[in-house]
Amino acid sequence: MSAVNFWGKMLNVDRRWIFLLIGVVSIVPFLIPVGMPLTTTTEVESIYDCIDSLGPENAIFLAFDFDPGTDAENMPMSVAVMRHAFFRHVPVFMTAYTPLGNGMMMSGFEYVTNQELPGCYTPVDYADWATYRDAGIVDRDGLVAAWEADGHSLPENSVGWVFEGRDYALLGYLPLFHLVILGMTSSIEAQYPEDSHGNPLVEMPMLREHKSLREVDLALTMAGSSACMSWIIYGREKIGLPIAFGVTAVMATDYFPFIQSHQIIGQMGGLRGAAEYEVLMERNGVSATTDKAFTGMDVQSAAHLLIILLIIMGNVAYFAGGFHKQHLMKSGR
Amino acid sequence: MSYDLIGIWVAALFTLAIYSFLYKENPLYRLAEHLVVGISAGYSIAITYDIVVGPKLVDPLIAGTGWVLLIPGILGLLYITRFMPNVAWLSRYPMAFIMGTSMGVGFPLTMKAEVLRQLEAAMAPIYAAGMPWHIVLGNLVMIFGTLAALIYFFFSKPHKGIFFGTGSKVGIWVIMLGFGATFGFTVMGRISLLIGRIQFLLGDWLHLIK
Amino acid sequence: MKRTVPLIIVMVGGILMMIQYFIPHQASQAVFDYYTEWAPIVGAFALVLGVGSLTRVHFHRIRRRSKNWPYSLAVLIPLYAMPILGLMVPVSLWGGMESPSIFHFLFMHIQVPIQSTMFSLLAFYIASAAFRAFRAKSALATVLLGSATIVMLAQVPIGEIFGPGLQDVGLWILRFPNLAAKRAIQFGVGFGILATSLKIIFGVERNWLGGAGE
Amino acid sequence: MRTSSTRYVPAALVLLLFPALSAAQAIEPVVARDSVENTTLPADTIASGTVEPQEEPAAVIDAPGAVTVTDSPNDAGDQLTLTFEPSTETETLFCHTVYRRIAGEGDESWLPVSIIPAGDPSELVDGLDPDYPIVPGVQYEYRIAVQTLDGLEVMGPVTPAQAVAEGEYYHTGKTRALIASSIFIFMIFYYFSRAQRGVQFYLRPIAGIEAIDEAIGRATEMGKPILYVPGLSSISDVATIASLTVLSRVAKKIAQYQTRLIVPNRDPIVYTVADECVKQGYLEAGRPDAYDPESVFFLTDSQFAYVAGVNGIMMREKPATNFYLGMFWAESLLLAETGSLSGAIQIAGTDAVTQLPFFITTCDYTLIGEELYAASAYLGHEPKQIGAVKGQDACKAIIMGFITLALVLTVVDLAAGTHTLDWLRQLMTMSVMD
């Protein structure tokens, strides 16, 4: 009986102790980083290779289809892809599925262009390079040359210029986004006459070159909900637009059938997927260092071990204490 | 103090306010919980007006170029009648419009993307020249597993006999393996969210880590 | 008028859009173009429903001075202040939606951290449930927990110390048995969605009409 | 289709690289090396032979040949398909430019609708570029120009389009989707009508449903209440609708046993409907007097506050049985954990795949996904709902049939070295695009 009491007491421990445990396990590895190596999987590599094969003549869509709640998982992958595209000078159209996603798009762009962080990109607002545009200088190399010839130089931390309307366009949120995707299959500008800064899309060089989703080479949806399916149902199935997923870990397992059916070219699942992308970028010289996702992997390791230990201990206590016999009903699932 | 610095301190304060719930429910937590409801709804109103209602409805109407837009505009306004008990039924009109059309648009597309395409992919060959054994085994598991799991969700026949009995048993095992993967990934996802907050607290706020 | 007309709208709209898919003709395309132009406008007003019920619930709480009523102010004030500051006040520290502004501040430095922290609470709860509730009560639950353990270890770098094969097993589970289970569920869910669509379009399912009086 | 459309990308780029050039072309297509030598010749008669080299004998290149225009199939009358004989020049050829104008208009109306880089296939679907739309029923004229690497442009002959763009009334590429949709709709309505004619269908027993009676009985024996959580979603969620159907059946049983029922709600509309369901259940059991209006109530609309509230009820009232049926998110874990600690029998059911693992490991019975829908049809005894379940089952049987057939064929292929599976897959394969 006393044994039962012991196990019972153990199981009924105040859960705040367990909270404390997981808190400690999640903080300590940050202070003592190990940086265990991470292997990459084909699901992520195929996205990386796809973007790596593109250049200034191509274009991608980066869809911020998540809310602040899953910021920690979706933001690192969005940031990684954005950096990779900027590095390869691939024009990036950015959209959002929800109003809150609009804010996430802004915040992701602000992070990549934060001049205080090493490895950032320096944005040039659409209005600031109007004179060059009017003079007909719209190809990337010519634009950078002309811009730098006029005395502009890259700030200390920056690794490159990005011109609004040439290298990126912040399109933002529209309601009933699945219809927006459908509409963009014939014309992007018809859906977004202006970007979220109020610049007319019709004048943007990147739009002149990519007028509809038919002329876009990849759409990446960074999703925290089933919003990503809209890109398949309305983009992929309508005009064959190649799609890649960046989804939260909770959803990731559901979309393996779509990889096997080639409806998506690849998938980043949760923080681990983002960390793999960062590793690929560092390995190939796209970025100097890895970022937040990879740093988080140590904690992820420690926390997974702790949770597995807790499950084992809990079950030992449960069965050793004989609690499994308490339910009078025939055993269920 | 700069705008961003104040921002980081306020954000840190509210982050800790939420975590204080782990110890005990308290007024600060409750305040944060309510604020988030108000701000997110307010944000959505502002963005929706700024992006849709303004440029796509109000501006063309003021400019006098889009009188036909009055039809969707008025239909949309009928949502407001939901809060007037006598005419609340009018709010069913815009709902009916959105529901009917979006389901009609979605029907053939869902059939194509989620049923036919998946069926096509499910009919994969088991073996091709040079395939390693674990892939072949995987293909077998995939095909028989899909069949078995479909049998489990088949309600018209009792789960007895070789086909339905064994099939549904194998099916539920395969489903459990799949749920195990979901479970593992869900744990991973929740931990990742915690990691994100700790990176904010220790890095952006306290500058203890880079 | 109250029930029949909405049911007719649903049916006509649904059947029209379904047929439209198979007809590429310009007349059919024109219907579709009107639809894509109008639907977002109608859809945007749906926000009214959420905002309206929020206002009603919290306004009542304040008026009746129910328990904890001051918190309702914390809902209502930002709910109305956000659009006013963002849209009506000229762009300045007070007005407009770009950084720096109150609008941007409330979103970026209050909404975002609170919402992301709320979800991260689950990491704590999952740890607690792992110890106190996740039981291998039956063979099936044991399979589930076993597969979960392998996948969890395979997904993190430390899994390597249990041998290189573990990662492969984890990925194998994800790519084959997991795929089979999810595909079967998807067929079911897909048919479920399609059947529900049909039931709503043809007026068999009418629950959505509820809650708006007789 | 995809490859042909991506080829506009570099083409458009060329246009932008030479903005002045392309602007000039748009207005007056000329055959000259540079602008100084521009001699505006009668555009319609220009051919390569008419160009006189000014300086050293430069390569006079062949103009592209005849253009063949056909109406594109399966469109809204806004596309024309072009093929042309490319210039025989290979060395200095830079690109072909496709010009289009409405028949009978002047030279100033030529629109450079597309630029096709050298080496690309000499065919084009015109009309995809939103800047140069094709109007259905209009007669157009085309001409192709070649451009050399050193900026020389040579015009081909003007060709009136042999076809006029017309929209079609049926998309031949969508036949498979049409057949599949028709079969599905037929199956659902077939079983609807049979169910309505009173045919009794067999539905297999579901363990969780059978446990409901037992669980209610247990609560009665113990004299403890029963907690029913109808999910946290809105009324438009299929899972919520299913849950409310189950609730009215549970309420009926409870009314017979005279056990106490607790139904906390998160959504105000679901609350009103749940209240009606419980009342109805008591009425059907013939005990409307036993209905306690306090048993169904609105708790709060905030997710975690709701969980805290329900957990409080579980710890205070110690219900003997907890039902969690409907749509759940992250709160599933918190509810089920507290419930399992309080020692209650727990029966859960949801179609949220991500929450199911937590329910399976913490609850005694779990209705997985579709089992919840089936359960509601099962308990609700509404003929059409049962008909829908049967109709979906029939479609699942078709899917199973195809997968089995593919399995057989792949074995046959391996044994006999044939390609029957490819044949079957081709039968199913749809073009990626519509």
Side-chain angles (χ1 to χ4, degrees):
Chain A
M1 200 58 203
S2 67
V4 172
N5 272 343
F6 167 73
W7 295 115
K9 259 187 197 157
M10 183 172 153
L11 278 179
N12 277 311
V13 62
D14 188 335
R15 64 180 185 177
R16 283 178 285 199
W17 290 110
I18 303 173
F19 292 164
L20 186 66
L21 207 58
I22 193 93
V24 170
V25 166
S26 314
I27 290 176
V28 170
F30 272 122
L31 305 175
I32 319 161
V34 185
M36 276 178 281
L38 188 70
T39 50
T40 53
T41 56
T42 52
E43 283 84 357
V44 180
E45 284 162 6
S46 50
I47 303 181
Y48 179 88
D49 294 342
C50 179
I51 295 182
D52 215 51
S53 69
L54 303 178
E57 71 280 9
N58 304 96
I60 61 169
F61 261 70
L62 180 57
F64 288 75
D65 300 339
F66 61 96
D67 283 358
T70 57
D71 176 84
E73 284 185 275
N74 290 121
M75 192 55 90
M77 47 179 86
S78 314
V79 162
V81 168
M82 207 193 298
R83 282 203 178 120
H84 191 191
F86 285 170
F87 180 82
R88 301 281 315 164
H89 304 317
V90 185
V92 189
F93 290 96
M94 297 182 223
T95 59
Y97 199 90
T98 61
L100 297 178
N102 198 72
M104 303 325 294
M105 174 189 81
M106 292 296 183
S107 125
F109 181 72
E110 275 165 27
Y111 182 77
V112 172
T113 58
N114 183 341
Q115 299 304 305
E116 285 166 22
L117 299 174
C120 68
Y121 286 83
T122 307
V124 181
D125 283 351
Y126 191 64
D128 293 350
W129 60 286
T131 46
Y132 304 90
R133 201 161 53 238
D134 296 342
I137 309 172
V138 287
D139 70 302
R140 231 207 95 91
D141 295 341
L143 182 57
V144 173
W147 178 256
E148 291 190 339
D150 281 356
H152 297 100
S153 59
L154 276 180
E156 187 191 347
N157 284 324
S158 176
V159 292
W161 300 104
V162 279
F163 294 88
E164 186 170 20
R166 166 74 262 165
D167 294 318
Y168 69 92
L170 300 163
L171 302 183
Y173 159 76
L174 283 181
L176 297 186
F177 201 79
H178 58 283
L179 292 180
V180 177
I181 298 172
L182 262 183
M184 287 196 296
T185 58
S186 47
S187 164
I188 297 171
E189 192 222 326
Q191 297 299 317
Y192 289 97
E194 300 182 333
D195 72 359
S196 56
H197 291 149
N199 302 313
L201 238 64
V202 64
E203 294 168 10
M204 288 189 175
M206 62 191 279
L207 187 96
R208 304 306 311 146
E209 293 161 27
H210 311 279
K211 291 171 188 162
S212 74
L213 283 181
R214 289 174 198 271
E215 297 171 2
V216 166
D217 300 272
L218 179 67
L220 294 113
T221 155
M222 303 295 152
S225 70
S226 52
C228 50
M229 281 306 293
S230 300
W231 283 95
I232 289 191
I233 296 179
Y234 299 96
R236 165 96 195 151
E237 295 300 329
K238 181 87 181 161
I239 54 154
L241 175 70
I243 310 277
F245 276 8
V247 292
T248 58
V250 176
M251 304 152 60
T253 55
D254 293 354
Y255 295 118
F256 277 83
F258 292 92
I259 303 176
Q260 191 254 348
S261 66
H262 304 295
Q263 284 168 291
I264 51 178
I265 63 161
Q267 163 175 285
M268 287 180 268
L271 199 64
R272 148 105 196 194
E276 284 182 41
Y277 206 96
E278 287 177 5
V279 168
L280 285 169
M281 292 215 302
E282 190 205 17
R283 194 186 293 159
N284 295 296
V286 175
S287 64
T289 54
T290 50
D291 201 1
K292 286 184 172 174
F294 182 75
T295 331
M297 279 298 114
D298 282 351
V299 177
Q300 198 88 50
S301 294
H304 281 203
L305 277 187
L306 175 68
I307 300 236
I308 291 169
L309 269 176
L310 286 173
I311 293 179
I312 294 172
M313 280 163 56
N315 274 293
V316 167
Y318 182 76
F319 286 101
F323 295 100
H324 57 294
K325 295 174 196 147
Q326 278 184 1
H327 281 183
L328 298 172
M329 291 175 64
K330 56 180 186 280
S331 83
R333 267 203 284 277
Chain B
M1 272 171 92
S2 75
Y3 175 83
D4 285 327
L5 196 59
I6 300 174
I8 286 176
W9 275 82
V10 170
L13 175 81
F14 278 109
T15 302
L16 295 176
I18 299 287
Y19 281 141
S20 69
F21 181 68
L22 289 172
Y23 183 74
K24 205 172 176 237
E25 199 187 355
N26 59 76
L28 200 55
Y29 168 79
R30 227 176 276 156
L31 173 73
E33 198 182 29
H34 282 82
L35 271 178
V36 85
V37 174
I39 295 178
S40 62
Y43 184 84
S44 301
I45 303 176
I47 292 288
T48 308
Y49 186 88
D50 192 48
I51 290 171
V52 196
V53 182
K56 297 209 165 177
L57 178 66
V58 176
D59 293 353
L61 282 181
I62 290 175
T65 52
W67 290 110
V68 72
L69 293 175
L70 274 177
I71 302 173
I74 290 172
L75 196 57
L77 279 175
L78 288 181
Y79 271 120
I80 296 173
T81 62
R82 188 85 184 190
F83 302 102
M84 307 167 188
N86 291 331
V87 285
W89 53 272
L90 275 173
S91 67
R92 288 173 186 153
Y93 286 31
M95 273 171 86
F97 173 75
I98 292 287
M99 283 191 38
T101 47
S102 57
M103 282 176 173
V105 170
F107 190 92
L109 289 168
T110 309
M111 181 59 88
K112 191 179 166 196
E114 296 195 19
V115 176
L116 292 178
R117 279 254 178 269
Q118 290 299 316
L119 175 58
E120 193 187 320
M123 300 192 304
I126 292 172
Y127 177 80
M131 232 182 226
W133 66 270
H134 57 94
I135 304 275
V136 178
L137 177 67
N139 285 340
L140 279 170
V141 168
M142 183 181 81
I143 293 172
F144 281 104
T146 310
L147 266 179
L150 276 170
I151 291 172
Y152 179 81
F153 288 118
F154 198 72
F155 297 102
S156 301
K157 285 271 181 295
H159 284 175
K160 284 179 190 134
I162 294 193
F163 188 70
F164 284 100
T166 323
S168 73
K169 277 204 188 71
V170 174
I172 190 69
W173 280 69
V174 171
I175 292 171
M176 285 303 149
L177 277 176
F179 281 166
T182 304
F183 186 108
F185 264 68
T186 307
V187 172
M188 175 166 108
R190 304 307 189 206
I191 302 283
S192 302
L193 298 180
L194 175 61
I195 290 172
R197 291 327 287 164
I198 290 175
Q199 279 176 332
F200 168 76
L201 287 176
L202 297 185
D204 299 327
W205 184 42
L206 297 175
H207 299 290
L208 288 176
I209 56 172
K210 85 163 174 65
Chain C
M1 200 61 185
K2 293 181 179 179
R3 286 178 159 266
T4 319
V5 175
L7 287 173
I8 292 173
I9 296 177
V10 163
M11 191 186 275
V12 171
I15 295 176
L16 192 70
M17 297 317 285
M18 235 192 259
I19 296 174
Q20 189 277 334
Y21 175 80
F22 297 99
I23 304 175
H25 193 265
Q26 52 265 36
S28 147
Q29 189 60 39
V31 168
F32 188 76
D33 289 345
Y34 265 113
Y35 171 63
T36 48
E37 192 184 344
W38 287 8
I41 299 178
V42 179
F45 284 95
L47 203 58
V48 169
L49 289 183
V51 173
S53 33
L54 263 185
T55 309
R56 199 157 63 167
V57 167
H58 290 283
F59 186 71
H60 278 298
R61 279 190 195 162
I62 294 171
R63 209 176 46 184
R64 279 191 267 119
R65 292 285 187 273
S66 18
K67 195 178 155 210
N68 291 329
W69 67 270
Y71 294 109
S72 291
L73 290 175
V75 175
L76 290 183
I77 293 173
L79 175 63
Y80 288 96
M82 292 285 281
I84 292 173
L85 291 176
L87 298 169
M88 297 185 189
V89 181
V91 174
S92 63
L93 189 57
W94 288 90
M97 290 155 64
E98 302 273 325
S99 162
S101 69
I102 301 227
F103 182 89
H104 179 265
F105 189 92
L106 284 175
F107 178 74
M108 230 31 246
H109 300 297
I110 298 187
Q111 160 86 21
V112 172
I114 294 179
Q115 213 177 333
S116 19
T117 313
M118 282 251 181
F119 279 83
S120 76
L121 283 179
L122 291 161
F124 294 92
Y125 293 132
I126 238 169
S128 144
F131 182 62
R132 307 198 306 172
F134 297 154
R135 300 284 172 254
K137 279 181 195 168
S138 60
L140 290 174
T142 315
V143 172
L144 194 158
L145 286 175
S147 143
T149 308
I150 294 172
V151 169
M152 277 165 70
L153 285 177
Q155 282 294 310
V156 286
I158 207 165
E160 299 269 320
I161 62 171
F162 296 95
L166 186 84
Q167 286 228 333
D168 297 336
V169 176
L171 279 172
W172 189 86
I173 290 180
L174 281 171
R175 286 175 188 162
F176 300 108
N178 168 59
L179 186 151
K182 298 300 157 64
R183 180 167 281 154
I185 292 174
Q186 255 158 29
F187 279 130
V189 170
F191 285 140
I193 293 173
L194 293 175
T196 311
S197 300
L198 278 187
K199 282 192 268 183
I200 290 180
I201 289 174
F202 290 99
V204 176
E205 182 73 77
R206 299 174 182 198
N207 267 315
W208 61 275
L209 285 168
E214 278 310 306
Chain D
M1 208 67 159
R2 171 113 219 113
T3 46
S4 72
S5 59
T6 42
R7 121 174 140 237
Y8 305 130
V9 176
L13 189 73
V14 173
L15 256 185
L16 283 149
L17 289 176
F18 304 101
L21 184 66
S22 56
Q25 287 161 2
I27 302 161
E28 41 171 12
V30 288
V31 269
R33 234 160 246 241
D34 54 60
S35 54
V36 184
E37 295 166 350
N38 271 359
T39 25
T40 316
L41 295 165
D44 288 8
T45 59
I46 292 174
S48 58
T50 63
V51 181
E52 282 297 319
Q54 295 280 321
E55 287 164 27
E56 86 248 50
V60 174
I61 61 172
D62 274 350
V67 185
T68 316
V69 181
T70 51
D71 182 23
S72 299
N74 299 328
D75 67 348
D78 52 2
Q79 288 165 29
L80 287 168
T81 307
L82 258 75
T83 51
F84 60 89
E85 287 169 22
S87 168
T88 49
E89 181 63 44
T90 48
E91 289 281 305
T92 58
L93 179 68
F94 181 60
C95 64
H96 288 95
T97 310
V98 179
Y99 291 98
R100 178 201 343 132
R101 70 175 179 193
I102 295 174
E105 290 195 347
D107 282 343
E108 69 286 350
S109 319
W110 285 113
L111 298 170
V113 291
S114 181
I115 292 173
I116 298 167
D120 276 18
S122 57
E123 55 186 35
L124 161 78
V125 177
D126 187 18
L128 291 177
D129 188 331
D131 286 349
Y132 304 113
I134 282 182
V135 180
V138 172
Q139 176 69 47
Y140 289 102
E141 287 173 346
Y142 282 92
R143 78 191 309 184
I144 315 289
V146 276
Q147 232 156 7
T148 59
L149 286 172
D150 40 356
L152 182 74
E153 187 176 49
V154 180
M155 289 292 171
V158 174
T159 317
Q162 294 93 334
V164 165
E166 293 288 355
E168 283 77 24
Y169 289 99
Y170 177 67
H171 194 304
T172 50
K174 293 177 176 174
T175 304
R176 291 175 183 88
L178 181 65
I179 294 174
S181 301
S182 308
I183 292 176
F184 183 80
I185 295 174
F186 171 78
M187 286 294 179
I188 298 284
F189 279 94
Y190 173 71
Y191 283 101
F192 269 3
S193 68
R194 287 195 59 185
Q196 273 189 316
R197 274 186 272 125
V199 179
Q200 291 296 317
F201 291 119
Y202 171 83
L203 285 183
R204 75 165 165 85
I206 298 168
I209 290 296
E210 300 191 324
I212 288 180
D213 285 356
E214 201 181 339
I216 296 175
R218 183 172 181 262
T220 317
E221 279 167 30
M222 294 169 74
K224 286 181 176 175
I226 289 170
L227 176 75
Y228 192 104
V229 182
L232 272 79
S233 188
S234 65
I235 191 74
S236 57
D237 209 311
V238 189
T240 312
I241 296 173
S243 172
L244 291 171
T245 316
V246 177
L247 174 62
S248 33
R249 297 297 128 183
V250 169
K252 189 176 165 189
K253 276 267 151 48
I254 288 175
Q256 287 158 358
Y257 283 110
Q258 297 196 45
T259 315
R260 196 153 76 85
L261 176 68
I262 306 171
V263 188
N265 286 280
R266 185 215 180 186
D267 186 293
I269 297 173
V270 173
Y271 155 65
T272 53
V273 184
D275 197 37
E276 275 170 29
C277 287
V278 173
K279 252 185 228 159
Q280 185 65 29
Y282 274 79
L283 198 66
E284 281 176 26
R287 304 193 51 93
D289 51 306
Y291 168 73
D292 173 13
E294 301 278 296
S295 63
V296 186
F297 54 94
F298 173 77
L299 196 59
T300 169
D301 53 3
S302 136
Q303 185 186 13
F304 286 97
Y306 178 83
V307 173
V310 175
N311 284 352
I313 295 170
M314 282 189 220
M315 296 324 285
R316 279 194 310 274
E317 312 263 352
K318 300 261 182 226
T321 305
N322 300 336
F323 291 98
Y324 313 111
L325 300 175
M327 180 66 200
F328 292 88
W329 287 279
E331 64 282 347
S332 66
L333 172 72
L334 290 123
L335 292 172
E337 183 198 357
T338 315
S340 84
L341 288 179
S342 75
I345 289 283
Q346 306 202 87
I347 297 177
T350 182
D351 56 357
V353 174
T354 47
Q355 304 310 327
L356 278 166
F358 299 120
F359 278 142
I360 291 169
T361 45
T362 42
C363 295
D364 299 274
Y365 290 93
T366 309
L367 300 173
I368 299 171
E370 280 182 85
E371 285 186 308
L372 175 63
Y373 309 152
S376 85
Y378 203 79
L379 287 173
H381 297 301
E382 223 229 283
K384 280 193 175 169
Q385 302 288 5
I386 295 175
V389 172
K390 292 296 282 193
Q392 291 175 53
D393 258 13
C395 294
K396 267 180 252 168
I398 296 174
I399 297 274
M400 286 193 268
F402 269 108
I403 297 179
T404 316
L405 180 61
L407 193 63
V408 172
L409 292 186
T410 189
V411 173
V412 168
D413 284 355
L414 280 179
T418 50
H419 295 284
T420 50
L421 181 63
D422 287 348
W423 169 81
L424 181 67
R425 279 165 64 95
Q426 264 160 23
L427 201 70
M428 302 290 303
T429 307
M430 293 159 297
S431 66
V432 177
M433 308 200 335
D434 286 346

